[in-house]
Amino acid sequence: MTDTVDKAPASVPPEQIKAIPVRHYGRWVAGAAVIAVLVLIGIAFSNANINYSIIPDYVTDGTILSGAWHTLYISVLAMVLGLVLGVILAVMRMSSNPVTSTVAWFYVWFFRGTPVLVQLLLWYNLSLVFPILNLGFYKDEMNQVMTPFLAALLGLGLNEAAYMSEIVRAGIQSVDEGQTEASHALGMTQGQTLRRVILPQAMRVIVPPTGNEFINMLKTSSLAYAVQFNELIKRAQDVSSTSLAVVEMYFVASIWYLILTSVFSVGQYYLERRYARGSSRNLPPTPLQRLRKHLRAFLSFRRPEVAR
């Protein structure tokens, strides 16, 4: 008599398995809700009392173009001033000298703790405190010295230096201390170590937030209208005072801010890729590279994932 052994059923071939995808009804509901809100906003703006036809004409208006140029000009100069002072303050903050480190800490505390608009107004009204500027070798009325341009530059640049010092300090501290010890063992001075070893490696950490700060500076520069500097918002208000197209001019200014921030966002993207080459073996493809890949796949009538 032989014992019967129960055999396990054979596994079902993969081609016979019918996979039923999970239905995500919440995604459809959320998508429909977002589309409905966008439609309502579009209807509201289409029925608003806004003359959209004049907006394209004023985008290239000479007065608006002058304001856009002044916005870019003051933003670049203020960012350069903030970056230079930020590096100096970061080095002072990390110094073993208690006087320099305390002064740098107080600077960061004060300028980060007060609004930019207040700082701009203080510089612009400095003649109320010091009517005459007397440096010994130079003497003049403060009203003649503290122009709207200088007030905007100092207000924006000195405030940015406080934020840039923290960014630079974080980048320097991200470099391993062994790099400093190795450079000192090779006979490098503290300054040479900072310039040749520390800062080049710290740039990978410093560049991304610096790009964000510059893009933010392009928008923060709009506060300079309070000190009568002829930036984009001030020029848009000048045009609206004669054309009575107040809201339309704000739309024009917004278009130029979007153009400027978009251009520099692309530059920031490629700058970050450059400094990320030492930390990533395979960098992700750029948007242009992805577009070329999909275009080649489309022209060859193949799907992108199987195209060669």
Side-chain angles (χ1 to χ4, degrees):
M1 182 177 180
T2 58
D3 297 333
T4 58
V5 180
D6 296 335
K7 296 182 178 180
S11 58
V12 181
E15 60 271 9
Q16 295 183 7
I17 298 177
K18 183 179 181 181
I20 301 176
V22 180
R23 300 184 183 277
H24 301 278
Y25 296 103
R27 297 179 182 178
W28 292 96
V29 173
V34 171
I35 293 175
V37 172
L38 293 177
V39 169
L40 291 176
I41 294 175
I43 294 174
F45 274 94
S46 63
N47 296 328
N49 188 19
I50 300 176
N51 188 2
Y52 293 100
S53 61
I54 67 172
I55 293 179
D57 298 331
Y58 280 103
V59 168
T60 56
D61 182 75
T63 304
I64 298 297
L65 291 177
S66 173
W69 162 247
H70 282 91
T71 292
L72 180 61
Y73 183 64
I74 195 65
S75 298
V76 171
L77 291 182
M79 195 65 199
V80 171
L81 176 62
L83 181 58
V84 173
L85 289 180
V87 173
I88 296 174
L89 289 169
V91 175
M92 291 174 59
R93 181 81 179 273
M94 301 175 63
S95 173
S96 57
N97 188 328
V99 176
T100 57
S101 61
T102 302
V103 170
W105 178 88
F106 181 81
Y107 182 99
V108 174
W109 170 78
F110 177 80
F111 281 92
R112 289 203 308 175
T114 54
V116 183
L117 182 59
V118 174
Q119 297 174 30
L120 287 168
L121 293 175
L122 285 175
W123 285 110
Y124 187 62
N125 295 283
L126 197 62
S127 61
L128 299 177
V129 183
F130 302 103
I132 303 296
L133 176 64
N134 190 355
L135 301 178
F137 60 90
Y138 178 80
K139 184 178 181 181
D140 198 356
E141 294 184 1
M142 186 61 74
N143 282 330
Q144 301 297 324
V145 177
M146 193 57 62
T147 60
F149 168 76
L150 185 58
L153 178 62
L154 292 176
L156 296 173
L158 296 182
N159 178 80
E160 184 61 33
Y163 291 92
M164 284 305 306
S165 68
E166 294 298 284
I167 293 174
V168 174
R169 184 169 68 91
I172 293 175
Q173 291 179 340
S174 68
V175 181
D176 188 81
E177 294 182 358
Q179 301 285 336
T180 302
E181 297 172 357
S183 61
H184 288 171
L186 293 174
M188 290 187 181
T189 63
Q190 189 69 27
Q192 291 174 335
T193 301
L194 182 64
R195 295 193 310 271
R196 300 179 181 180
V197 179
I198 303 301
L199 284 180
Q201 298 183 64
M203 289 299 291
R204 181 174 57 87
V205 179
I206 295 174
V207 166
T210 301
N212 292 333
E213 285 295 316
F214 179 70
I215 292 173
N216 184 63
M217 176 65 74
L218 287 170
K219 297 177 292 184
T220 306
S221 63
S222 61
L223 295 175
Y225 84 94
V227 296
Q228 303 304 308
F229 181 68
N230 290 324
E231 46 77 50
L232 187 54
I233 293 296
K234 178 66 167 53
R235 288 300 195 180
Q237 290 180 338
D238 293 341
V239 174
S240 65
S241 63
T242 57
S243 64
L244 301 180
V246 179
V247 177
E248 290 82 355
M249 290 304 101
Y250 288 137
F251 273 54
V252 171
S254 299
I255 291 173
W256 269 108
Y257 280 119
L258 287 172
I259 293 174
L260 292 175
T261 54
S262 298
V263 170
F264 284 99
S265 296
V266 174
Q268 177 192 358
Y269 173 80
Y270 284 98
L271 190 61
E272 290 181 14
R273 281 179 57 88
R274 175 178 176 82
Y275 285 101
R277 289 183 300 180
S279 60
S280 300
R281 292 184 179 179
N282 297 319
L283 295 176
T286 64
L288 184 58
Q289 291 172 344
R290 290 196 296 266
L291 178 61
R292 289 176 178 174
K293 177 182 177 182
H294 289 285
L295 183 59
R296 287 196 302 265
F298 175 77
L299 294 177
S300 61
F301 298 99
R302 296 180 180 180
R303 297 191 313 174
E305 59 268 21
V306 299
R308 295 182 181 179

